[in-house]
Amino acid sequence: MEPVYDVMTRLLTEHFGVPEDQIRPDATFEALEFDSLARLELGMVLADTFGVSLPEDQVDMTLAEAAEHLTAAVGAAAAAESLQKAVR
């Protein structure tokens, strides 16, 4: 499985046209010039891709922090789904 950071950076270049040379772990969405509409669209794309999204109140999140959040959220969602299957 491709790491969340790699998937997220691929989406930024392919879906949002962010130049690869601007994508760094310490770059923020604000530095990448994501306005509120772009962040909303990114949230929808990430939710479609991972089944989870970024917190809406952390607009100054770096790409590394976003990938860390998504990785944890994906893991928690998978654990909850496994637990629900075990209970059935």
Side-chain angles (χ1 to χ4, degrees):
M1 177 182 238
E2 192 175 10
V4 169
Y5 181 83
D6 293 344
V7 174
M8 190 176 67
T9 59
R10 183 169 38 82
L11 289 172
L12 290 173
T13 57
E14 293 176 0
H15 192 83
F16 294 94
V18 177
E20 288 184 30
D21 64 339
Q22 293 183 12
I23 297 177
R24 301 180 322 269
D26 64 338
T28 63
F29 293 106
E30 184 176 32
L32 298 176
E33 300 182 4
F34 272 64
D35 61 13
S36 59
L37 182 59
R39 284 194 300 268
L40 179 65
E41 185 177 351
L42 175 64
M44 291 188 299
V45 170
L46 292 173
D48 286 345
T49 303
F50 297 113
V52 296
S53 191
L54 296 173
E56 293 179 16
D57 61 340
Q58 296 189 6
V59 295
D60 58 347
M61 182 178 267
T62 67
L63 298 185
E65 291 169 336
E68 184 177 323
H69 171 82
L70 291 172
T71 300
V74 168
E81 184 176 318
S82 293
L83 182 61
Q84 287 179 344
K85 287 181 182 177
V87 173
R88 291 182 197 162

